[in-house]
Amino acid sequence: MSVPAVFDYHPVQSVDEAIALLQLYGDEAKILAGGHSLLPAMKLRLTQPEHLIDIGPIPNLAYIRKEKDAIVLGTLTRYKQIEQSEILHKYYPILPEGTALIGDQQVRNRGTIGGSVAHSDPAGDMPGIVLALKAQLVVQGANGTRTIAADDFFVDTFLTALEQDEIVTAIRLPLPAPHTGSAYAKISNKASHYAIAGCAAVLTINKKGLCTSASIAITGASTRIIRASEVEAALISKKLDDATITSASSHAVANADLISDIHGSAEYRQQMAAVITRRVIMHALERA
Amino acid sequence: MELEVHINGVIEGLDAVTNESLLSLLRREGYSSVKRGCETGECGACTVLVDGIARPSCVMLASQVGGCTVSTVESLGSAEKLHPLQSAFVEVGATGCGFCTSGMLLSAFALLQNNPSPTEEDVRDALSGNLCRCNGYARPVQAVLRAAALLRGERVEPLAHPTVSVDEVSSVATEQVASGESGKHPILQTSAAASGSGGVTTKIPVISAQMLAPSTPVVPAPRTQLHVIGTATAAHHAVKAVTGKGTFAGDFEPRKMAYARVLTSPHAHAVISSIDVSQAKALPEVLAVLTYKDVPRTPYARIERTGETSLLDQYCLDYVVRYVGDRVAVVVAETAEVAEEALRLIKVEYDVQPAILDQRRAMEPGAVRVHAERESLGIVDAERNIATRVRTEIGDVEQGFASSDHVIETEYLVPAIQQAPIEKYTVTTYFDADDYLVVRTNSQIPNYLRRTLAQLTGLPMRRIRVEQPEIGGHLGLRQHIEGEDLCALLTLATRRPVRLEYTREDEFRSNHVHQQYILRMKTGVRRDGKILASQMVVFADTGAYGTHALTAQSHTVHALALYPCANMRFLAEVLYTNHAPASLSQTYELQHEFFALESHLDDVARQLEMDALALRRLNWLQAGARYPLPLAVGASRGMNTIIDSKGLSTCLQLVEEKIGWKTKRNQRKNDRYRRGVGIALGFYGEPGVLPGTSGASIKLNEEGSFELFAGRSENGSQLTTYLTQIAAEVLGVTTEDILLHAADTSSTPFENSANDVVSFYLNGSAVKKAAEQMLRQILSVAGRILNVLPESLKINHGIIKGAHGMQTTLEQVAQHSLYVENRQLMTTSFWKGQTFPMTFAAQGVEVEVDVETGGVRVLNVVTAIDAGNPINPMLSEAQIEGDVAQALGLSLSEEFFYNQDGVPLLKSWSDAHVFSATEMPELQTYLVESHEGSELFGSKAVAGLAFYGVAPALANAILNAADIRIRYLAFTPERILRAIHAYMSRKSA
Ligand SMILES: Cc1cc2nc3c(=O)[nH]c(=O)nc-3n(C[C@H](O)[C@H](O)[C@H](O)COP(=O)(O)OP(=O)(O)OC[C@H]3O[C@@H](n4cnc5c(N)ncnc54)[C@H](O)[C@@H]3O)c2cc1C
Ligand code: FES
Ligand code: FES
C-alpha cells in the first residue's frame, strides 16, 4: 500500500520527551530514525504502530567522538558520516568498510547506526559489526541510563534487549588494543546488497605473532546475529597461519539456525560463511 | 498537520495527514516528476533532495519535512533553459522511457554539489539507488561525467557515434578490393587496400582509431545523401523526460477518482465454492464490489492475435482460479486503503484442486486439467493441457542422425522471470464530457482493448476511447489486458473515474511473467564438424492462460535456422500450468532458443575438439542462402527466404578480436579467480509475411510544421524518435518540425504490431509512405507557385528550390494551399505486414569466476550488431546497452521463484535481484553498417537482438573459465558453486 495505516506523529526535541511518550503509549508507539526499515514495514503492514515518535529532530545525537577509553557514536549518526569519519578509519576501519557496503547511496544518506542496531535485522551489517567490536549500547529509559553489552543486546530476529520504554542513545566502542586489526565483508544480493553471508572480525596479535583476542560475528547467514565462538576459540593463542584460519573458519555457523530462502539456501550460506570468515580474518590480520 | 516547506525555492504552507508520505504530498501538489516505482524505498524513482540530500520521498513522512528545503527536478531547469546535467542526459541519449530520469538527475545533482570532480565509480555509486530497466546505466553515467566537466568549465569532446561498415564479407574483402570490385566506394577501396585486409570501416575516424585494433583498417564510409537519418538526434521525448514533464499512466488525475483493488487467489488451483461480499459492500466509502456472479462468462483473450488462430480461455472474473494471484473479486472505494480493507471483508471458500507446478507434468496421464471448462475456445488439447503446439520439419531427421559420426543431446532450462518495468501497471477509466468511456493505460494495445472492452462491457466501440500515455518501460509486460476490463466495469457500475494501480507486490503476484522454457537440443555432426541433422524441442510453460501462447511460437523465425542443414526439426509444446500466465519479452521471443542453441554449439565443438567459432563458421547461414526452416507456421503466408544480409561474419570477426578470443581462450586456470571468454551469435528477421497493419497521417500546418499521427506510443524503444526522424528526412525539415501524436483511438490510425521490431517496420514504413505522399503534394503546390514542374524541385531545411535560384518555403506553400487554393494538405497511408530483413549479432563476454564462492564477475560484454544503416546510432547503441543489462539480469541473477504450493516468492525489488549502476560491467557496442538493409532507408530494428547472445556467451565463458557447463539459467553463485563442487568430485573420483 502506498500509505501506512493511520498513526499519530510526534516529532520530539529531546530524549526525555521521547521516553515520556514511549511510557505513555506503550506497545502502540515506535521510534522513527532514518525510516528506511520502519516505513517500508509499515506500508507493507508488517507493523502498525499507532504512534510514531520521530527522534530525528533531537539535537546532538549524530556524532563520532573519541573519548579516553572509547569511541562513541550517537544513535543518529548516519552511515554517510561513518563512511567519511577519520577517527573510524584510523581506529576501526571495519565500520566505514561495513557502511560502504550497505544498500545504495540513498539508504546510506539517511540510515542511522542506532536504527540498524535497534532493528536487529539478521541480514543487516551494523549489528554484526557492533557485536564483533564488543560495543556497549547506551540506552536510556524511564529508569535512567544503562549500558548493555552487544552480546546481550541482540536477542533474536528483530528482537533486542531494549525495554519497551527505552531507546538507544549511543554506541560505545572500546579503544582497540595495540596490534588490533578489524575487517568486514559480505556476499550480498544484487541492488539491495543485504548480506547472504557476512563476517565481522576484530583480532589482536601479540609480539610473538600469537592471537591474543579474537571477536568474530556472522551476519546474513543465520536467523539472528551470532558470535562465532568456535571460530574464536580455534584462533586464540594460535599463530594465525592459513591452515589455522581455514580450519577455524569452517566452524563459522556451527550450530546456528540458518536462513534458507530465495536469496540463498542454508547450505550455500553455510559454505559462504566459512569462505567469507576466512577472507575477513586474513584481512583483519593484515591490519593488525 | 500544517507544514511550511520550501519546495523548489518557494515557501509553501501545506496540510498533510500524519501518515502521508512526502512522495504523496509532492504529487498531490502537482510535482508529478516524482514517480512511484515501489513506495518501499528500493527503486529511487521518487528521489528528491531534502536539504540537498538525495532521498527516496516514499519512505519519508510529509510531516518530517516541515521547515526543510525540498527540490524536485522541476527546480533544475526548464525546457527553455536546461541545467547542464539535463542537457547532457539529452545529448548522450540517457533517457530510455524516462521514468527513472528525474530521480537519477537529482542523485547526480546532489553528487556534483559535493564533489565537482567525481570518478566514474563515484557516479555509479551516486546512482546506485536509482534502478533503471531501459538503458544499462552506461549513458546516465557518461552524461553525469560530461556535465561535471562542463560545470568545471572544461571543454568536452563532441560526441561521436561511430558505426562500423561492411561492404562485403570481411574475410574476402581483400581480394575484392584488389580486383577493384568495391569500386563504388573509392575511399574504402584505397584505405582497405593500403592496410591490406578486411572491409571493416567506420564513419568517424577519431573514435574508430582507438576503437579498432591495428589489424582492422579504419576508413570513413562514404557519405550518404541523408540529413536526419543516421544522425544522433536527441530522443523525441528527452527534454520532457529530463524536465519531469513526461506524462505516464499515473500522472493524470480526473476529479472524484475512486480506487480499485483486486482480491486475488491464495491457491494455485481452486474452485470458489462460496463467496460473500456483503460485509465488504457495507463498509462505508465502498462503491462497488464485483465477483464472477456479476459478469457474464464470456471467454476472451488478453492479447491481440493477428493470425488465423484464436485461443479464448480467459474470463473477466471466474469461479475457477488458476494461479496464486489470479482474480477473485474487485472492489472500488473512495480510497485505495478502504478498498484494501474491503478485500479483507470478502469471505471466500475455496475447493482446492491439485495443481500443475511443473510443465513436464502437464501432459502426464491423469494430470489435472487447468482448463476443464467447456466455454473456452481454441485450445489444442485441453485434456493434456496443451494450449498450442508448433511442428516443422525438413528432410529426414532420423536418417540424418543415423548417418552422423556424433550425435550430441543436451537439455536446457530458462526459468521464468519478471520483466519488472520501473513503472507499475496503472489504468484509469472514466466517462468524459461526451460520455465516452476513456481508458488511459500503460498496456500498449489500444485498438485491441477498444474492441475487447466493447465486447465485455456491451458499450458500442464508438463510445470507447483508449489513450496511451508514455509507458515507463514496456519490456514485454505491457502488451496484454491486465486490469482494463475490471476497471471499465467498475466505472460502468459507479459512473465514477476509477484507477487500478498495482503495488510492486501485485506486479510480482498477479501480473504476467516471462515464461519458463525447457529445451532439448539434438545435433548430428560429421567428424569434420559439418552438421547433418538438428532438432530443437521446446516445452513452454504458458501458465494458467494462453495469453501469449501463440505469439512466441508462431514466428516463422527460429534460432535453429542459424545453422541450416538438410534435416531439421523444430517442435514446441505450449503447456498450461498453475503458474502466472506468460507474457513476452519486448521483441521476438527467441532468447531461450539462442541460449540452448549457442550453448549447445560449444558442447558440440568440445566433443569434436574443434574451435567453437570454426564450427559456427563452417555451418552458419550465409548471405545468398535460403532460409532453411520455411513454412513452419507461415505455410499459408508468403515467404521471402533468401538471406541478403552479409553482416554476420563482420560482427563475429569484430567480437572475436575485441574480446581477445585467441589470447584469452587459453588462460592458466588453477587459482581462485578464473577467467574465460565466450561468444554467441544471434539473429532475427521475419522470412514469412507477418499479418498486421499500421497507418500514419500527416497534416501540414500553416507555419510549415507538420502534425504526424501514428498508432503506437513511446515505451522506451525510441520508436517515436525514429518516426519523427523518418518524417523529417522525407519532408526535408528537422525533427522539431514534426509534432507527433501517438496512440489515441479517437485521433490516430489503427496499428496492431506484435512487438517493438514489428512496430519499427510497420509504423516506420507507414510514416515514410505518408511523408512521401505529403512531399509530392507540397512539391506540386510549390510547382504551381513557382510555375515549374514539381519534379524539378527539391526540398531541404524547409526551403523548396528549383533551377536558377528560384525558391519558396514550406510556410509559403502551406499558406498558398490554405488561402489561395483553399486546400488543406493532408495525407494518410497504411502499411501491411511484410517480411523483414534478417539482422545478425555476435556477442562476446569475458568473465572471472570465483571458484570459492561461485560468484561470476562479468568484465566485459562486446556486442556487434548488423544494423543496416541505423536511423539513430546513438539511440540504437543505448537500446543495445539496455538489452544487454536485461540479459545480464536474466543470465546471472533474476529468477522467478515459487514455493511448493505455487506461491510466488518475489515481493519487492530486493527479491528481484536486478542490476544496479554499480554492478554493470563495461559494455562495448558496435553497430555494423551493412548496405543491403531494408526499404526503410536501409535501417534495421535492433531492439531485443542484444538479448539473445548474452546468456549463451556467458555460459560458454564460464565453461572456458572453470570447465563447468551449466544448462540452467540463472548462473547464480550458488548454482555455479554446486557445479564446481560436482566437477571437483568427478575429477578426484
Ligand atoms: C533498498 C534498501 C537496501 C538496504 N540495504 C541494506 C544493507 O545492505 N545492509 C544493511 O545493514 N541495511 C540495509 N538496509 C537497511 C538500512 O540500513 C536501514 O536504514 C536500517 O536498518 C535502519 O536504520 P534507520 O535509521 O533507517 O531506522 P528506522 O527504519 O527508522 O528504524 C528501524 C527500527 O529501529 C527502531 N529504532 C530506530 N532508532 C532507534 C533508537 N535510537 N532506539 C530504539 N529503537 C530505534 C525503530 O523503531 C524501528 O523499529 C537497506 C534498506 C533499504 C531500503
Ligand atoms: S524508492 Fe520510492 S518509489 Fe521506489
Ligand atoms: S529510462 Fe530508466 S527505467 Fe526507463
Side-chain angles (χ1 to χ4, degrees):
Chain A
M1 279 278 76
S2 55
V3 294
V6 183
F7 54 81
D8 280 341
Y9 172 73
H10 309 270
V12 293
Q13 297 292 334
S14 72
V15 173
D16 290 337
E17 203 183 328
I19 292 166
L21 288 170
L22 278 175
Q23 273 189 298
L24 185 62
Y25 296 119
D27 277 351
E28 289 165 7
K30 259 197 173 306
I31 299 287
L32 175 67
H36 276 281
S37 293
L38 184 55
L39 291 177
M42 286 169 63
K43 286 184 171 183
L44 300 170
R45 302 288 190 276
L46 301 176
T47 171
Q48 298 197 28
E50 285 172 30
H51 298 272
L52 214 50
I53 303 168
D54 185 359
I55 58 172
I58 303 180
N60 307 326
L61 281 183
Y63 57 84
I64 301 168
R65 268 200 305 260
K66 182 174 170 281
E67 295 183 357
K68 214 164 74 240
D69 57 343
I71 292 166
V72 189
L73 287 79
T75 188
L76 288 181
T77 308
R78 313 233 182 249
Y79 297 138
K80 193 91 212 167
Q81 284 170 279
I82 295 178
E83 239 177 296
Q84 293 165 350
S85 156
E86 279 176 27
I87 298 180
L88 291 174
H89 273 284
K90 181 166 166 206
Y91 290 96
Y92 280 130
I94 184 176
L95 261 172
E97 186 168 63
T99 42
L101 298 176
I102 289 175
D104 54 63
Q105 205 177 67
Q106 303 197 7
V107 175
R108 301 200 299 273
N109 281 340
R110 236 352 242 201
T112 66
I113 185 164
S116 179
V117 165
H119 194 47
S120 187
D121 182 345
D125 303 306
M126 289 304 113
I129 293 176
V130 160
L131 186 62
L133 287 171
K134 301 208 167 139
Q136 295 285 330
L137 303 169
V138 183
V139 309
Q140 198 172 324
N143 300 326
T145 302
R146 62 173 179 142
T147 57
I148 310 176
D151 273 291
D152 303 323
F153 186 81
F154 301 108
V155 177
D156 209 338
T157 322
F158 302 121
L159 190 68
T160 68
L162 276 182
E163 293 296 327
Q164 197 281 314
D165 64 359
E166 284 179 326
I167 72 168
V168 176
T169 56
I171 293 128
R172 292 181 70 87
L173 313 172
L175 281 183
H179 301 291
T180 295
S182 66
Y184 181 75
K186 63 177 168 177
I187 307 238
S188 60
N189 275 309
K190 288 245 172 326
S192 82
H193 294 149
Y194 276 115
I196 292 170
C199 172
V202 183
L203 300 173
T204 309
I205 306 296
N206 69 11
K207 289 224 176 63
K208 291 189 205 137
L210 299 183
C211 174
T212 54
S213 134
S215 179
I216 316 276
I218 305 296
T219 59
S222 155
T223 53
R224 60 190 200 87
I225 301 300
I226 46 169
R227 177 174 288 288
S229 318
E230 299 189 20
V231 181
E232 295 171 351
L235 297 176
I236 293 287
S237 316
K238 301 268 170 55
K239 187 154 179 61
L240 301 187
D241 53 23
D242 283 5
T244 309
I245 295 174
T246 306
S247 110
S249 303
S250 65
H251 306 297
V253 283
N255 308 323
D257 212 351
L258 295 172
I259 300 175
S260 203
D261 63 12
I262 62 169
H263 310 294
S265 69
E267 187 195 353
Y268 184 67
R269 286 172 196 266
Q270 181 180 12
Q271 291 164 346
M272 287 310 98
V275 169
I276 208 77
T277 300
R278 197 189 69 232
R279 291 183 185 180
V280 164
I281 292 175
M282 302 250 187
H283 196 191
L285 191 58
E286 280 167 29
R287 288 177 172 163
Chain B
M1 65 193 291
E2 258 182 67
L3 302 169
E4 199 176 274
V5 192
H6 300 234
I7 304 178
N8 297 341
V10 181
I11 302 180
E12 306 221 28
L14 301 171
D15 246 338
V17 281
T18 52
N19 63 341
E20 183 164 22
S21 66
L22 174 58
L23 168 63
S24 144
L25 175 84
L26 289 170
R27 288 188 62 89
R28 191 157 59 74
E29 287 298 310
Y31 299 94
S32 61
S33 66
V34 192
K35 300 295 184 207
R36 285 185 295 243
C38 64
E39 309 202 39
T40 49
E42 294 169 291
C43 73
C46 65
T47 302
V48 297
L49 304 182
V50 179
D51 293 334
I53 294 173
R55 315 219 30 199
S57 57
C58 66
V59 288
M60 190 159 186
L61 298 172
S63 328
Q64 288 179 294
V65 296
C68 295
T69 308
V70 175
S71 314
T72 68
V73 86
E74 282 90 344
S75 71
L76 283 194
S78 61
E80 293 71 40
K81 196 169 180 310
L82 295 178
H83 183 274
L85 265 171
Q86 293 169 308
S87 320
F89 266 63
V90 174
E91 280 163 27
V92 310
T95 56
C97 70
F99 198 77
C100 67
T101 308
S102 332
M104 281 206 183
L105 281 165
L106 289 167
S107 294
F109 182 82
L111 168 74
L112 297 188
Q113 291 298 100
N114 293 318
N115 178 1
S117 309
T119 61
E120 177 173 337
E121 209 187 324
D122 296 333
V123 176
R124 287 189 180 271
D125 190 39
L127 300 183
S128 60
N130 299 94
L131 299 180
C132 174
R133 297 289 274 166
C134 293
N135 64 27
Y137 307 104
R139 263 146 224 279
V141 172
Q142 185 193 356
V144 177
L145 290 169
R146 195 175 166 80
L150 279 168
L151 286 165
R152 291 192 302 266
E154 292 166 18
R155 242 173 51 85
V156 293
E157 290 294 312
L159 293 160
H161 301 279
T163 55
V164 180
S165 160
V166 52
D167 211 53
E168 297 298 330
V169 176
S170 46
S171 53
V172 296
T174 325
E175 284 163 44
Q176 286 170 341
V177 168
S179 64
E181 270 180 42
S182 319
K184 51 187 162 138
H185 298 305
I187 315 173
L188 175 81
Q189 186 185 6
T190 40
S191 309
S195 70
S197 75
V200 181
T201 67
T202 170
K203 258 185 188 164
I204 300 162
V206 199
I207 295 279
S208 58
Q210 13 150 315
M211 193 182 92
L212 294 164
S215 62
T216 330
V218 172
V219 263
R223 284 233 142 263
T224 55
Q225 292 306 306
L226 302 172
H227 302 285
V228 189
I229 300 294
T231 63
T233 307
H236 174 248
H237 64 297
V239 171
K240 251 171 117 181
V242 298
T243 49
K245 295 277 185 299
T247 36
F248 295 87
D251 296 334
F252 165 78
E253 308 266 331
R255 282 206 294 184
K256 294 199 61 145
M257 187 131 78
Y259 297 83
R261 296 287 299 152
V262 183
L263 180 70
T264 64
S265 169
H267 303 292
H269 194 189
V271 176
I272 298 173
S273 47
S274 83
I275 184 160
D276 175 3
V277 299
S278 51
Q279 281 188 39
K281 274 190 170 155
L283 189 71
E285 299 194 359
V286 167
L287 303 168
V289 182
L290 300 179
T291 71
Y292 72 87
K293 296 175 185 166
D294 307 297
V295 296
R297 197 158 194 259
T298 312
Y300 73 114
R302 297 258 184 98
I303 172 68
E304 174 87 84
R305 294 219 180 80
T306 42
E308 320 76 63
T309 31
S310 129
L311 174 56
L312 308 179
D313 62 0
Q314 273 165 300
Y315 305 86
C316 281
L317 288 161
D318 198 3
Y319 51 79
V320 184
V321 285
R322 299 180 180 82
Y323 69 101
V324 175
D326 204 355
R327 306 159 163 194
V328 173
V330 62
V331 173
V332 63
E334 296 291 347
T335 67
E337 288 68 41
V338 171
E340 184 76 26
E341 200 183 329
L343 295 186
R344 286 191 285 270
L345 298 176
I346 299 177
K347 302 256 173 322
V348 194
E349 277 171 33
Y350 295 97
D351 178 5
V352 179
Q353 305 289 310
I356 299 176
L357 299 172
D358 178 344
Q359 73 252 51
R360 281 167 285 210
R361 292 268 137 86
M363 287 188 294
E364 281 177 1
V368 65
R369 279 171 66 167
V370 178
H371 286 277
E373 70 281 354
R374 292 233 177 106
E375 295 89 333
S376 290
L377 300 170
I379 299 174
V380 161
D381 183 351
E383 196 90 40
R384 297 170 63 215
N385 291 311
I386 303 172
T388 188
R389 67 158 57 105
V390 178
R391 300 191 162 204
T392 177
E393 184 161 346
I394 55 166
D396 184 338
V397 178
E398 295 313 324
Q399 180 56 40
F401 287 134
S403 55
S404 299
D405 294 323
H406 300 271
V407 176
I408 296 119
E409 281 192 79
T410 43
E411 182 177 288
Y412 301 86
L413 186 140
V414 178
I417 57 156
Q418 217 216 27
Q419 298 89 333
I422 305 288
E423 181 194 28
K424 298 176 295 179
Y425 171 71
T426 308
V427 53
T428 311
T429 52
Y430 62 98
F431 281 104
D432 70 4
D434 297 321
D435 218 22
Y436 286 18
L437 176 73
V438 183
V439 182
R440 269 181 81 88
T441 168
N442 52 8
S443 282
Q444 208 166 19
I445 42 166
N447 296 292
Y448 183 67
L449 256 174
R450 189 186 198 187
R451 177 150 40 94
T452 309
L453 291 183
Q455 269 170 29
L456 297 175
T457 59
L459 287 174
M461 254 174 78
R462 76 189 72 182
R463 280 195 48 210
I464 299 175
R465 170 174 169 192
V466 182
E467 288 176 354
Q468 205 91 81
E470 282 158 59
I471 294 176
H474 178 295
L475 312 182
L477 195 63
R478 302 286 183 242
Q479 186 88 10
H480 61 262
I481 298 178
E482 180 59 33
E484 288 81 358
D485 50 344
L486 296 180
C487 209
L489 289 170
L490 291 172
T491 285
L492 236 58
T494 60
R495 305 294 297 183
R496 288 272 298 268
V498 176
R499 164 155 312 159
L500 171 62
E501 179 174 346
Y502 275 7
T503 63
R504 185 52 56 188
E505 190 176 348
D506 296 338
E507 283 277 56
F508 286 127
R509 182 181 165 96
S510 287
N511 210 329
H512 293 48
V513 298
H514 186 256
Q515 59 200 321
Q516 170 166 300
Y517 290 98
I518 292 168
L519 303 103
R520 295 194 185 132
M521 291 295 312
K522 185 170 177 185
T523 303
V525 280
R526 218 162 52 194
R527 212 159 287 121
D528 65 357
K530 192 75 198 155
I531 297 174
L532 301 181
S534 63
Q535 171 179 303
M536 178 185 279
V537 181
V538 180
F539 299 95
D541 175 355
T542 188
Y545 302 101
T547 311
H548 276 291
L550 298 168
T551 322
Q553 277 65 32
S554 66
H555 302 307
T556 46
V557 61
H558 290 291
L560 203 56
L562 185 53
Y563 305 107
C565 66
N567 310 299
M568 304 175 77
R569 183 186 285 149
F570 174 88
L571 306 176
E573 303 278 359
V574 183
L575 303 164
Y576 286 120
T577 66
N578 294 104
H579 285 152
S583 62
L584 288 181
S585 64
Q586 192 150 344
T587 57
Y588 279 93
E589 181 80 4
L590 292 176
Q591 56 269 44
H592 56 286
E593 292 189 11
F594 278 106
F595 170 59
L597 177 74
E598 286 294 279
S599 301
H600 181 71
L601 255 269
D602 269 40
D603 289 337
V604 174
R606 254 165 99 92
Q607 175 113 5
L608 294 170
E609 296 182 2
M610 193 173 171
D611 176 69
L613 303 187
L615 176 69
R616 287 178 170 81
R617 288 185 167 117
L618 180 67
N619 289 291
W620 67 15
L621 188 61
Q622 302 211 24
R626 191 169 281 281
Y627 182 79
L629 270 176
L631 316 181
V633 203
S636 55
R637 310 181 199 151
M639 293 282 287
N640 171 19
T641 53
I642 302 296
I643 306 301
D644 62 356
S645 172
K646 308 172 188 106
L648 180 58
S649 74
T650 313
C651 289
L652 180 56
Q653 190 192 336
L654 202 59
V655 170
E656 181 180 6
E657 204 174 299
K658 298 298 163 201
I659 204 74
W661 179 263
K662 295 214 168 65
T663 49
K664 292 187 175 159
R665 207 44 192 173
N666 306 301
Q667 302 178 73
R668 195 174 57 87
K669 295 190 180 89
N670 45 19
D671 40 4
R672 205 176 91 196
Y673 297 106
R674 299 190 189 168
R675 291 190 172 195
V677 292
I679 286 181
L681 309 179
F683 77 96
Y684 62 60
E686 189 59 68
V689 172
L690 266 193
T693 184
S694 76
S697 312
I698 300 181
K699 174 171 92 114
L700 175 63
N701 293 325
E702 56 187 305
E703 53 142 18
S705 62
F706 299 90
E707 310 285 340
L708 167 62
F709 299 86
R712 195 162 163 108
S713 60
E714 185 55 59
N715 63 21
S717 72
Q718 308 297 356
L719 179 71
T720 53
T721 314
Y722 299 148
L723 296 184
T724 53
Q725 279 186 271
I726 289 166
E729 180 67 53
V730 174
L731 294 167
V733 294
T734 66
T735 48
E736 281 91 76
D737 300 317
I738 308 291
L739 315 173
L740 180 75
H741 307 271
D744 177 338
T745 56
S746 69
S747 57
T748 64
F750 185 89
E751 86 101 51
N752 58 357
S753 51
N755 61 42
D756 285 347
V757 174
V758 179
S759 81
F760 172 81
Y761 292 111
L762 275 185
N763 291 287
S765 305
V767 167
K768 180 163 179 260
K769 196 165 139 195
E772 285 164 352
Q773 291 168 3
M774 172 57 78
L775 180 66
R776 278 197 290 280
Q777 292 196 11
I778 289 168
L779 295 184
S780 64
V781 176
R784 288 195 287 277
I785 296 175
L786 298 171
N787 226 344
V788 294
L789 283 176
E791 293 76 27
S792 66
L793 298 172
K794 289 240 153 15
I795 183 166
N796 204 349
H797 298 300
I799 298 172
I800 300 144
K801 291 188 177 159
H804 317 302
M806 67 167 61
Q807 64 177 54
T808 181
T809 65
L810 262 179
E811 185 176 357
Q812 284 163 342
V813 167
Q815 305 217 342
H816 184 86
S817 64
L818 282 173
Y819 301 117
V820 178
E821 299 187 354
N822 296 321
R823 359 183 294 165
Q824 161 74 67
L825 295 197
M826 224 177 145
T827 60
T828 296
S829 78
F830 75 96
W831 197 260
K832 278 206 301 198
Q834 308 242 336
T835 63
F836 303 137
M838 292 287 172
T839 310
F840 292 91
Q843 292 181 286
V845 175
E846 183 176 8
V847 297
E848 181 181 86
V849 179
D850 179 341
V851 297
E852 281 184 9
T853 63
V856 175
R857 194 156 72 93
V858 180
L859 304 169
N860 189 6
V861 181
V862 185
T863 302
I865 288 192
D866 144 44
N869 174 34
I871 288 190
N872 189 324
M874 171 177 81
L875 297 182
S876 296
E877 279 168 32
Q879 190 160 39
I880 291 168
E881 289 160 3
D883 288 340
V884 171
Q886 291 271 328
L888 283 170
L890 168 81
S891 312
L892 291 170
S893 52
E894 291 177 40
E895 199 165 334
F896 200 84
F897 296 96
Y898 296 94
N899 73 5
Q900 70 279 10
D901 298 322
V903 180
L905 297 176
L906 274 69
K907 291 195 162 67
S908 66
W909 281 117
S910 302
D911 299 332
H913 303 162
V914 304
F915 275 66
S916 69
T918 44
E919 287 144 346
M920 277 300 288
E922 183 189 341
L923 305 177
Q924 285 180 37
T925 303
Y926 300 98
L927 299 176
V928 172
E929 212 177 303
S930 53
H931 298 300
E932 77 291 339
S934 70
E935 287 172 31
L936 207 50
F937 301 103
S939 76
K940 299 187 194 178
V942 298
L945 185 49
F947 219 119
Y948 301 163
V950 174
L954 261 166
N956 295 339
I958 292 168
L959 177 66
N960 179 234
D963 226 11
I964 50 166
R965 170 52 96 199
I966 306 184
R967 300 195 171 87
Y968 292 72
L969 289 178
F971 305 135
T972 56
E974 181 160 359
R975 209 164 267 148
I976 299 272
L977 192 69
R978 223 178 285 141
I980 290 171
H981 287 170
Y983 170 78
M984 293 197 301
S985 56
R986 256 201 326 273
K987 244 186 141 179
S988 59

